[in-house]
Structure formats: C-alpha cells, structure tokens
Amino acid sequence: MAISTPTISVADVCLATKAAAGPLAALGSDVKDRALLAIADALVARTPEILAANALDLEAGRANEIGDALLDRLALDPQRIAGIADGARAIAALPDPVGETIDGHRLPNGVDVRRVRVPFGVVAVVYEARPNVTIDAAALALKSGNAIVLRGSSSAIHSNRVLAEIAGEAATAAGVPAGAISLVAGGGREELAELATQDGVVDLIFPRGGEGLKNALKAVATVPVIYAASGNCHLYVDASADLEMAAAILLNGKTQRPGVCNALETLLVHADAAPEFLPRAAQLLHGAGVELRGDERARALAGPGVPFGAATEEDWATEYLALTIAVKVVDSREEAISHIGQYGSGHSEAIVTRSTESARAFQLNVDAACVYVNVSTRFTDGGEFGMGAEIGNSTQKLHARGPIGVRELTTFKYLIEGTGQVRG
Amino acid sequence: MAISTPTISVADVCLATKAAAGPLAALGSDVKDRALLAIADALVARTPEILAANALDLEAGRANEIGDALLDRLALDPQRIAGIADGARAIAALPDPVGETIDGHRLPNGVDVRRVRVPFGVVAVVYEARPNVTIDAAALALKSGNAIVLRGSSSAIHSNRVLAEIAGEAATAAGVPAGAISLVAGGGREELAELATQDGVVDLIFPRGGEGLKNALKAVATVPVIYAASGNCHLYVDASADLEMAAAILLNGKTQRPGVCNALETLLVHADAAPEFLPRAAQLLHGAGVELRGDERARALAGPGVPFGAATEEDWATEYLALTIAVKVVDSREEAISHIGQYGSGHSEAIVTRSTESARAFQLNVDAACVYVNVSTRFTDGGEFGMGAEIGNSTQKLHARGPIGVRELTTFKYLIEGTGQVRG
C-alpha cells in the first residue's frame, strides 16, 4: 500500500496506484469478493488496533476543541467497526459491474461491436471526518475494479491510516495487486491541489464533504470531478392529491432525517388543495418541531393555530438541512414546476396527485436526478434503490446522476471483432 | 433565434437558449423529425442565399491569405449543401434517444424505479472552419432534444449565420421553440471564455477543432467539456497473425485516410512474425507513399529494399496524421500491450491474431475507447457503428467514450412511482 509521507509525494502515490490499476481491472469477481470478505474479517480481528489509533484522533480532537458533533462522527467503537465490516460484506454480495455487456450489434459487414463495462482505472475519494468512508470507498472501488487514492481529513489521520493499512494488507493477501488502495496522508490544501491535477493518472475524483471542500476542488481541479451538490427538494401537493398521503409524505420527507440531502425543504400546495391541506399540514409540522416560513397566502390559509413566519426570497433557495420548511401556495401545476425549475438543485422532487395528467407533466418537465410520484423523496439513496452502498449522490448530468454506486464507478469500452474487415 | 451581437452578450444568448430547452425537451419525436426535414428542405431551397454568404467568407479568406486547404474547407457549393441537407434527413431517420427506459425495477416496498433517457438541456459546440458543422451539430442537438449554442470561427461567420438562421426559422415554423438554435457570432477568445463559464445555463461543451482550441477551453472552462483527444492508434501483429489479413488492415489503417484520428500511427510486430511480415509490410507501405521510421530490429528485418529511418522516442508518441508510420518489433503480446499503455491515447487499438488467448488478453488489457480484433481501426466512427452522425470521438472516460452520437447527447433521470410509500 502506498501512503504519502514527507518523502513520498502525492504524485508518486498516484503513480504507484496507477501501476496497480491495470492488473486490478482484469481481476475476476471471485478474487475481488474474497478480498472484500478478508477486509471485513481483518477489521473485526484487528479492532483493538483500530480503537487505539482512533483514540489518538479523538484525543487530538478534544485538544483542538473540534466539538461534540465532530467528535461523535470521528469516534469508532467495536459496534461501529462491525458495521463497517458488514458494509464491506454487503458490497462483496453485489453483482460485479465489470464485464457487463451494455449493448451490442453486428454491422452489415459482419463486424461485431459491443460495449462492455470496464473500471475507470484510478479513482480518488476526498472526504471529511468520518473514518468509515475509508473502508466504504475502498470497498466500492475494489468491487468495481478501480484502484483508489483515499484522502481523508487530518483530524482522522490515525484512524484512516490504520484502516487503509488493514484493507490494503487483507486485499493484497487475497490476490489484489499491492498499491490498489492508497492513502494521501497530508490533509492540507496543497496535497489536495496536487491530487486534483494528476491528469492521465487519476481518472476521476469524488469529493464527500461540505461546500468548502467542493469550492477548494473547483478552483484547482483539472482531473474530472463528480460533485454531489446540495438537495433543495420540493414536495408539490397537486389539486387532486390524496391529502392523507400528502401529509404522510410531507412529514416523512421533512422530519425523518432532516440533515440529509434528500430531505424536503419546500412545500408547494395547489390553491385548490390549500384551504383543506394547509391547516392540517401546519399543525402536523409544528407538532413535529418544524419551523414554518410561508408566503402570504399560505400563512393566511394555515390559520392562527401555529407560528408561521414570512418567507423571504432567500428561503426558496435555502437547503435548511434542519427542522425548517418553506411553504408556498401555487395556482397551477405549471407554477409549481416553474418554481422548482427556478429554485431546485436538481436532486429529488416529488408530486402527490391522483391525476395521471399531473403526474406525467411533473415527470416530463421537472429537471432533476429523481422525480417522484406519490413517494417520499427520502428514497433517493443507493441502498434504497437496490444498488448497494453509494459513494454519494450526483446532481450533475454528466456520467452519473442520482446515487453513485458500483455501476457508476465504471466506464465502458467498445470491443470490436471481425475477420479482417477494412473500410472501403 | 438568438445571435450574439455587440449589444447582446454571450450570457444573454445562453439564457435565451436555456429558456427554449425545457419545452424542447418535452417535444415528441414527430415534431423534431418534421423540423429536421424542414431544415433540409430549406437548405436546398435557400441555396443561393447560402452561397452568397459563403462568397463573402471566401473573399475575406482570400484577402487574409488563409491558404487553399482552409479555403477548401470553408467553401460551399450546391452539391455540398445538398449533402448537408441529406445529413439532416439521415438524423431525422434515427431512433429518438429521448424517453428510452434504460433500466428499471420494482423495490420490495412496491415502488417502481426506472431510468429514462432525457436531454442534457443546453449543449454548446465550438468549432473551426467547416460551416457544415453548423447544421450537423444543430441537427444532432435537435434530435436529442437539446437546445444548442453554436460558436463557429470568425472566418466562416457569414456562412454560419445564414445556415443557423435558416435552421432556426425552419425549426420554429415546424413547432420547435424559438431560441432552440443559437449562434455566438463573435469568434474571439473572450466570447469563448464567456461561453465556457455559463455554469447552470450551458450543460456541456463539445469542442471540434485542434489542440489550440482545446487548450484555450481547458484554461477557462468551468462548464463540463467533453474533449475529443487525438488518436495515436496502434496495430499489433501477433505471432499467430494471418499475415495477409495483417497487411490489408495495416494498409487500410495507414493509407485509406491518413489525416483522421482513427488512422494508424504505429505498427508493432511480434518477433516471430517480423521476419516474414516486415519486408512485405515495408514494401507495401513504401509503395503507398508511406515514410517508415523503425527501431533497430524492424529496420534490419525489413531488409535493404526500402528507405526506413530510425525512430526516436518522439515517434512513439506522435500522431502523424500523415503518410508516416513508426514500426517496432516486440518480443511478446505483453510488451505490445505495455507499449500501447505507455504511448497510446486511448482511441482505437487493434490486434491481428489467430489466437483466442491473444485476442482476449488484448481486449482485457488495452485501455482504449475501441479495441479491435482482426478489424481495421478505421471503423471508429458513429456512422460506421450504426449510431448515425457523430459530433466527435471521445477519448475520455466520463459519460461518453468513442463516437458521440445522439445517445451520447443525453443524460437520464430516475422516475419513481408509488402509492404513498415513506421511508421507515
């Protein structure tokens, strides 16, 4: 396993990783799956080592006063380690995306052309505090036949290093080329910039972190980056909606886990449904501890029973990631779609309706990774979609849109076979 | 149709184009195909107008002494215009990629999840002298439901403008939203930079031109760009190759059209085949006017009959795009694959062999968009692959690899349908 140190540069780590990529891409599923199970077993067997390294990070975190929330994200215990190991086992159980024939046909001259799924080569994952990403990302990369360069945060360096070492050793012992799992140990912006400019060596970078990390990458990256943008997700309650269903989906989307990107941020209600729906929705949300901010009509229709502040222009554009919701009454389905087009981030958008016409118009005209009819937006997730673990959710349109699982960690090549055909 | 002028900025043109993208994406195939046929008819009907505009460009080109080759690329005549119109008709005849269900399944909770192909939204094509690209690119964009911003070179501005106007008028009359086909008339680097930074408005840029154009884009683009890199393509003649077949594929790859990216640039010959193959190959190539540059063994084995210069390190890395070829003798299939890994540009690579083992090893281990067994590399082309016209050939791995046709001009979204499911 290659780890960058003061004497081994990030570029050298990337080159060592690339050297492993070719042989790794040609490995059979059996070797890769054995390696994933070996990694899981080694994590459990070497739990004391992991906890000792984690204790160093926690100690430094406390000394640096990083706060309880970050300390909790940093902390490992035997149960969490067992969970990480189970994650690697679940990835082993997924179908191998490599080698899949996507499509193919025979040309008139008898030449066979087919598109076959292949690994990218070298992927890099840049992430923040949680050390579990070290194993999650390495396991997804291994399954999809990619060598990986991991670059975690300096606050988790001891944990990340021992996790990467354990994974690298177990994988190598199982027949994976040495160097397939690498770690950039320096957590500084310089290392990030060096990593993000390894054109021709690193094929693709996935950032997993906040806006600061994304902006830092945007400023310097020449290697392609797939950004997981924020989710300003809307629920539109159509004129014909089943209001019981709408209330359940609203509550689930807003309160089941408000801090995630597929949680609801804005409720749009058709004017025909608003007089009946809004008073009830307001009470439900308020009862669940949600702060409401609405336009004038929404506030008037909700009635005096619950506190309901005035929404500003900024509210429509805000991903709260908290127990706050913006509410607006619209006069038509078109107005709802137009509002979503203006303020949505292209993540997950939902309509509740009984009208097939409204459902179809919403699906056709809302431009987002995931467009829901009568389902909670909270399902935008690789695991929920049956894709296994995910490395993030893409709101960009190139290559991967929505959950990024093992399939999205592959590209393809054309394989062409014939009997001596030449072009006339 | 929006055209940038001294008073309409590139950003405004892009915004006008984006306004058309939503309605265009929802159009049925019937409207789009009618529009494509109307464009073809209008081009033929308005040939005199096109020729008059083209004459202004040719006159300016002569005055600026741009040279005969560029003048020829710039020149239109009734036959060329008819050919451009036929291209639009051929694109109309292709299947519509929009709306295709790529895959889908039902989740255990009864929710249906499917991936459906949708347009990107707004694509931009940046191109050099040939005015035919104005129509080719507009037609491909229209077929795939994308609004398009065209940015041709200043040397073809009169031709491009009239072609874009004719296409825009015919499309609008057929029911396509006005603004779906736009032109950035200024040919300067400032306009290019403004276009390349329209994040959130322009979804994707395709450059069609030389390295200068690509480098200019790389320096400034924040919008995703799909680069069509060069093709340093190899033919590897395996120990067990049918040497008749190898000679035919070699000659076709090198001489049928040497100036294109899928032409051969380097010949690798296994040492076991070289004594018989090289003298003959050298004579054939020399007879076809090809200059040979080889390593020591190749030159010795080819014999004294033909001029055969010494290849330098630079030759292995060069895309000649001319009647020149580099030749090397290798001791194994692995050495050939390794040479291709080191010097290839990931475009098109071919093996000629009778061995299934060699064929499979070559397919698995050569990392390129198109990997050929016993077929000429000259087939890497959207038309040849049955994809219809292409906007270029991608040697990058993200989203599109190989020929970029109408399918590659689309992304997808997840459509999710249920009966009120929420996440537990």
Side-chain angles (χ1 to χ4, degrees):
Chain A
M1 202 196 79
I3 298 192
S4 74
T5 67
T7 55
I8 306 177
S9 72
V10 171
D12 286 341
V13 168
C14 293
L15 280 174
T17 314
K18 187 180 165 69
L24 172 57
L27 279 189
S29 307
D30 50 352
V31 178
K32 296 188 290 187
D33 292 345
R34 264 202 309 273
L36 286 164
L37 298 178
I39 289 170
D41 291 345
L43 290 170
V44 173
R46 294 171 68 173
T47 291
E49 252 177 277
I50 300 170
L51 293 179
N54 189 239
L56 295 175
D57 288 331
L58 289 170
E59 196 179 316
R62 277 184 218 104
N64 292 328
E65 296 178 0
I66 64 173
D68 286 347
L70 271 184
L71 280 173
D72 179 61
R73 294 176 69 182
L74 192 53
L76 295 173
D77 58 33
Q79 203 183 339
R80 283 186 177 184
I81 294 169
I84 298 171
D86 284 344
R89 289 192 189 100
I91 290 170
L94 293 174
D96 190 337
V98 175
E100 181 198 347
T101 298
I102 303 172
D103 48 36
H105 59 288
R106 183 160 297 162
L107 303 182
N109 63 1
V111 167
D112 277 357
V113 177
R114 60 197 155 106
R115 281 199 301 158
V116 175
R117 212 175 272 293
V118 297
F120 274 105
V122 177
V123 300
V125 176
V126 181
Y127 52 106
E128 292 179 334
R130 293 180 192 271
N132 64 300
V133 176
T134 306
I135 299 299
D136 293 352
L140 285 167
L142 181 52
K143 181 78 191 190
S144 56
N146 290 290
I148 186 167
V149 179
L150 296 156
R151 194 272 197 184
S153 69
S154 51
S155 66
I157 183 60
H158 298 95
S159 312
N160 290 340
R161 182 187 283 266
V162 72
L163 288 168
E165 273 171 2
I166 290 171
E169 286 168 21
T172 307
V176 170
I181 301 172
S182 297
L183 186 72
V184 170
R189 289 291 192 225
E190 273 173 42
E191 282 86 358
L192 184 64
E194 195 177 349
L195 177 62
T197 50
Q198 298 300 315
D199 301 64
V201 181
V202 174
D203 289 291
L204 194 51
I205 298 179
F206 294 97
R208 284 191 61 165
E211 293 300 314
L213 174 62
K214 278 186 240 162
N215 292 334
L217 264 175
K218 262 197 185 164
V220 295
T222 54
V223 169
V225 181
I226 292 195
Y227 294 97
S230 55
N232 188 14
C233 305
H234 299 72
L235 173 65
Y236 166 55
V237 178
D238 195 28
S240 70
D242 175 334
L243 299 186
E244 288 280 344
M245 186 193 288
I249 287 176
L250 169 63
L251 212 61
N252 186 250
K254 184 65 252 180
T255 67
Q256 197 239 358
R257 203 169 161 205
V260 292
C261 58
N262 58 19
L264 285 179
E265 307 295 1
T266 295
L267 168 67
L268 303 170
V269 185
H270 191 283
D272 292 352
E276 187 182 343
F277 185 64
L278 273 180
R280 188 163 153 212
Q283 282 204 319
L284 271 174
L285 289 167
H286 180 62
V290 178
E291 180 192 341
L292 292 110
R293 301 186 193 169
D295 71 341
E296 211 169 305
R297 273 206 287 180
R299 295 169 71 202
L301 286 169
V306 298
F308 203 149
T312 63
E313 177 68 18
E314 202 189 329
D315 283 298
W316 310 128
T318 299
E319 185 189 16
Y320 299 114
L321 295 174
L323 287 174
T324 306
I325 194 163
V327 185
K328 183 181 170 78
V329 175
V330 294
D331 286 312
S332 65
R333 175 176 79 209
E334 289 71 25
E335 189 186 342
I337 292 169
S338 166
H339 180 99
I340 292 170
Q342 187 174 354
Y343 297 103
S345 61
H347 194 293
S348 300
E349 306 293 353
I351 184 175
V352 176
T353 185
R354 282 197 184 94
S355 152
T356 52
E357 192 189 339
S358 287
R360 190 157 172 76
F362 196 81
Q363 288 184 323
L364 279 178
N365 295 305
V366 169
D367 184 18
C370 298
V371 184
Y372 289 87
V373 176
N374 297 335
V375 180
S376 169
T377 56
R378 288 279 294 113
F379 285 100
T380 301
D381 175 89
E384 295 293 325
F385 276 11
M387 299 158 62
E390 62 176 34
I391 214 157
N393 258 284
S394 164
T395 52
Q396 56 138 53
K397 297 181 188 176
L398 206 60
H399 183 74
R401 203 175 190 196
I404 302 163
V406 290
R407 181 183 60 196
E408 287 70 28
L409 287 174
T410 62
T411 178
F412 60 83
K413 62 184 170 190
Y414 284 94
L415 297 184
I416 304 105
E417 295 173 17
T419 49
Q421 284 86 347
V422 297
R423 192 159 163 191
Chain B
M1 202 196 81
I3 298 192
S4 74
T5 68
T7 55
I8 306 176
S9 70
V10 172
D12 285 342
V13 169
C14 293
L15 281 174
T17 314
K18 187 179 165 70
L24 172 57
L27 279 189
S29 306
D30 50 353
V31 178
K32 296 188 291 186
D33 292 344
R34 264 203 308 273
L36 286 165
L37 298 177
I39 289 171
D41 291 344
L43 290 171
V44 174
R46 294 171 68 176
T47 292
E49 252 177 276
I50 300 170
L51 294 178
N54 188 239
L56 295 176
D57 288 330
L58 289 171
E59 196 179 315
R62 276 185 218 102
N64 292 328
E65 297 178 0
I66 63 173
D68 286 347
L70 272 184
L71 281 173
D72 179 60
R73 295 175 69 182
L74 191 53
L76 295 172
D77 58 33
Q79 202 184 339
R80 284 187 177 182
I81 293 169
I84 297 172
D86 284 344
R89 289 191 189 100
I91 290 170
L94 292 173
D96 191 337
V98 174
E100 181 198 346
T101 297
I102 303 172
D103 47 38
H105 59 288
R106 183 160 298 163
L107 303 183
N109 63 2
V111 168
D112 277 357
V113 177
R114 61 197 155 107
R115 282 199 301 157
V116 174
R117 213 176 272 293
V118 297
F120 273 106
V122 177
V123 300
V125 175
V126 181
Y127 52 105
E128 294 179 333
R130 296 180 190 271
N132 64 298
V133 176
T134 306
I135 299 299
D136 292 353
L140 285 167
L142 182 51
K143 180 78 191 190
S144 56
N146 291 290
I148 187 167
V149 179
L150 297 156
R151 193 272 196 183
S153 69
S154 51
S155 66
I157 183 61
H158 297 95
S159 312
N160 290 339
R161 182 188 283 266
V162 73
L163 288 168
E165 273 171 3
I166 290 171
E169 286 168 22
T172 306
V176 170
I181 301 172
S182 295
L183 186 72
V184 171
R189 290 290 192 226
E190 271 172 45
E191 283 86 357
L192 184 65
E194 193 176 349
L195 177 61
T197 50
Q198 297 300 314
D199 301 65
V201 182
V202 174
D203 290 291
L204 194 53
I205 299 179
F206 295 96
R208 284 190 64 164
E211 293 301 314
L213 174 62
K214 278 186 240 163
N215 291 334
L217 264 175
K218 261 197 186 166
V220 296
T222 54
V223 170
V225 182
I226 292 194
Y227 294 97
S230 56
N232 188 13
C233 305
H234 300 72
L235 172 66
Y236 165 55
V237 178
D238 195 28
S240 71
D242 176 334
L243 300 186
E244 288 279 344
M245 185 192 290
I249 288 176
L250 169 64
L251 211 61
N252 187 250
K254 184 67 252 180
T255 67
Q256 197 239 357
R257 202 170 160 205
V260 292
C261 58
N262 59 19
L264 285 179
E265 306 295 1
T266 295
L267 168 67
L268 303 171
V269 185
H270 191 283
D272 293 351
E276 188 183 344
F277 186 64
L278 274 180
R280 188 162 153 215
Q283 282 203 321
L284 271 174
L285 290 166
H286 180 61
V290 178
E291 180 194 341
L292 291 111
R293 301 186 192 169
D295 71 342
E296 210 169 305
R297 274 206 288 180
R299 296 169 71 203
L301 286 168
V306 298
F308 203 150
T312 64
E313 176 67 18
E314 203 190 329
D315 284 297
W316 310 128
T318 299
E319 186 190 16
Y320 299 115
L321 295 174
L323 287 174
T324 306
I325 194 164
V327 185
K328 183 182 170 76
V329 175
V330 294
D331 287 312
S332 66
R333 176 176 80 209
E334 289 72 24
E335 189 186 341
I337 291 169
S338 166
H339 180 98
I340 292 170
Q342 187 175 354
Y343 297 104
S345 61
H347 194 293
S348 300
E349 306 293 354
I351 183 175
V352 176
T353 185
R354 283 198 184 93
S355 153
T356 52
E357 194 190 338
S358 286
R360 191 157 170 76
F362 196 81
Q363 288 183 325
L364 279 178
N365 295 305
V366 169
D367 184 19
C370 297
V371 184
Y372 289 85
V373 175
N374 297 334
V375 180
S376 170
T377 56
R378 288 279 295 114
F379 285 100
T380 301
D381 175 87
E384 295 293 326
F385 276 11
M387 298 158 63
E390 62 176 34
I391 214 156
N393 258 284
S394 164
T395 52
Q396 55 138 52
K397 297 181 189 176
L398 207 60
H399 182 75
R401 203 177 190 194
I404 302 163
V406 289
R407 181 184 60 196
E408 287 69 29
L409 287 174
T410 63
T411 178
F412 59 84
K413 61 184 170 191
Y414 284 94
L415 297 184
I416 304 105
E417 294 173 17
T419 50
Q421 284 87 347
V422 297
R423 191 159 164 192

